[in-house]
Amino acid sequence: MADVMLRKPELHGRGTTVGQLRDYFEDDHVHAAIVVDADCRLLAVVERADLAAGVQAGDLAATAGRCEDRTVAASADLVTVWEEMRIRGRRRLAVVDGSGMVLGLLALKRTGLGFCSDADVRSRRENSPDRCQGQPVRT
């Protein structure tokens, strides 16, 4: 995992709201938001569909997401994980250690033929004037 995961994904703090993540998801490159506690332990992975109409903007984002089937252990076999992601149509998985600490993000490219790199993400941000320049969101 360490060779292909994004090592510095944007992280959202415990106080992040559904409304804030709705704004975050306006970027069509964003498929998942990682919500963590102050020690960077995973609280939830939130996907766009989790923020459906019935969820209030002021609700805490972590309550809208989940960890189940949205995480992968850093020690997992990459080929197996890659195949499962392609079969299930999953493009993003938070990479965590045994204590739930977020180590990175596995981001499958749209083609399914490889993974996004930190350089890919950095380049896209540098060329997009409407996005913050790689600063993690801490709420």
Side-chain angles (χ1 to χ4, degrees):
M1 292 303 154
D3 292 337
V4 297
M5 71 181 182
L6 299 175
R7 294 176 183 269
K8 295 185 179 188
E10 288 190 50
L11 302 176
H12 304 268
R14 178 186 300 274
T16 302
T17 65
V18 166
Q20 289 170 314
L21 286 192
R22 284 184 176 138
D23 291 342
Y24 178 67
F25 280 116
E26 286 183 16
D27 180 341
D28 66 348
H29 290 99
V30 174
H31 297 271
I34 301 172
V35 182
V36 296
D37 68 12
D39 295 321
C40 287
R41 284 194 173 67
L42 184 66
L43 297 174
V45 177
V46 182
E47 296 179 351
R48 191 176 275 110
D50 296 333
L51 307 179
V55 183
Q56 301 299 310
D59 291 349
L60 291 178
T63 62
R66 65 177 191 265
C67 296
E68 183 182 334
D69 81 349
R70 295 180 180 181
T71 63
V72 63
S75 60
D77 177 69
L78 179 60
V79 174
T80 302
V81 171
W82 189 352
E83 185 62 25
E84 287 179 18
M85 289 175 79
R86 289 178 50 189
I87 289 168
R88 294 182 180 178
R90 181 144 314 275
R91 302 245 337 258
R92 303 294 187 262
L93 292 174
V95 180
V96 296
D97 69 10
S99 68
M101 180 83 60
V102 174
L103 303 175
L105 178 68
L106 201 55
L108 188 62
K109 290 184 177 188
R110 189 179 321 247
T111 64
L113 300 176
F115 294 92
C116 299
S117 69
D118 286 312
D120 294 335
V121 172
R122 189 171 38 256
S123 174
R124 188 170 46 253
R125 283 188 183 136
E126 289 169 357
N127 294 318
S128 178
D130 295 333
R131 296 281 296 151
C132 62
Q133 297 298 312
Q135 297 300 314
V137 177
R138 290 288 189 173
T139 303

